[in-house]
Amino acid sequence: MENGAAKPVIVAIDGPSGTGKSSTSKAVAAQLGLSYLDTGAQYRAITWWMVTNGIDIEDPSAIAAVAGKPEIVSGTDPSGPTITVDGVDVAAPIRTQEVTSQVSAVSAVPEVRARITELQRSIATSAERGIVVEGRDIGTTVLPDADLKIFLTASPEARAARRSGELKGADVRSTREALLKRDAADSSRKTSPLAKADDAVEVDTTELTLQQVIECVVTLVEEKRAAQ
């Protein structure tokens, strides 16, 4: 392209927890000068709001009725992504066990997915230089026309070891069980299940260091950009 202006590139990175998705996505976005969106944080944010406001998580109709209420704002700077709900910084509280244990139930409600999907699409399409969007249904549902789709995988053992390392002192076996339970819930839900898009490039991170995964994805994005 003339004057060196690269066309904005939209990169979708999907996969289950513990595959290195967030670390990879942030690093790739920072390295290539792209925006970054953690869609999981948005689902956690709406779950946090439901829990904080005493909504019955067991009742999908109760969740659906208030899905449009919280105002969720995501900052897309990969070096310091932010998330607020109704103006409150929720970056820390959305990572609590209370939210983690309930996010699958809230995320499965179609009205919640419709609301958050719309938010994600508007952020992705307004990213001037392009964006790396990470989640579980980005390549299949949220951004099916993304320029590049990547699906990260890893063995349950590797994923549990990484997660328990993040969750200081967590027992690997219970972490593995929790991960598999969440995968089952997210893969079997009717609305936008966790799934690999047909045209996604699968990257198995089990035997790779984080730096190797980042290099692999950066190369894929650069190849895509060069071909545009």
Side-chain angles (χ1 to χ4, degrees):
M1 297 193 57
E2 309 243 338
N3 72 22
K7 183 169 170 270
V9 61
I10 293 182
V11 183
I13 300 186
D14 289 304
S17 313
T19 51
K21 210 169 45 189
S22 292
S23 307
T24 299
S25 301
K26 271 186 270 201
V28 168
Q31 207 165 314
L32 296 173
L34 304 174
S35 295
Y36 159 77
L37 178 61
D38 173 0
T39 65
Q42 295 177 314
Y43 283 107
R44 285 174 172 273
I46 200 165
T47 302
W48 173 86
W49 185 90
M50 299 278 172
V51 170
T52 305
N53 285 278
I55 309 301
D56 182 1
I57 304 297
E58 306 287 315
D59 181 359
S61 60
I63 293 172
V66 293
K69 282 195 166 180
E71 186 194 1
I72 298 167
V73 178
S74 296
T76 58
D77 176 352
S79 61
T82 57
I83 185 150
T84 63
V85 180
D86 298 335
V88 177
D89 177 358
V90 294
I94 63 171
R95 301 291 167 189
T96 60
Q97 189 50 47
E98 185 178 24
V99 170
T100 300
S101 63
Q102 312 204 57
V103 69
S104 286
V106 174
S107 304
V109 176
E111 289 80 358
V112 169
R113 295 208 81 80
R115 161 89 202 285
I116 302 288
T117 296
E118 188 184 343
L119 183 60
Q120 290 162 0
R121 285 179 180 149
S122 68
I123 292 170
T125 52
S126 61
E128 288 174 16
R129 294 187 306 276
I131 191 166
V132 177
V133 183
E134 61 136 313
R136 287 164 180 250
D137 66 339
I138 310 307
T140 51
T141 303
V142 180
L143 300 168
D145 299 326
D147 300 299
L148 176 63
K149 300 175 190 178
I150 292 166
F151 194 85
L152 296 184
T153 63
S155 71
E157 289 69 27
R159 291 166 48 210
R162 289 171 190 164
R163 287 309 282 218
S164 56
E166 286 171 21
L167 307 166
K168 305 288 178 280
D171 158 6
V172 175
R173 180 180 294 171
S174 61
T175 303
R176 178 176 181 272
E177 282 168 11
L179 282 176
L180 292 175
K181 189 175 166 192
R182 189 161 167 215
D183 288 353
D186 290 353
S187 303
S188 61
R189 64 169 176 244
K190 292 189 177 67
T191 310
S192 309
L194 164 66
K196 174 176 172 262
D198 294 339
D199 52 349
V201 179
E202 186 165 326
V203 179
D204 187 335
T205 70
T206 306
E207 304 292 336
L208 302 177
T209 63
L210 177 59
Q211 198 49 48
Q212 287 172 320
V213 179
I214 293 165
E215 283 166 14
C216 171
V217 175
V218 165
T219 302
L220 289 168
V221 177
E222 285 178 334
E223 285 172 356
K224 195 59 166 181
R225 270 181 162 175
Q228 281 182 346

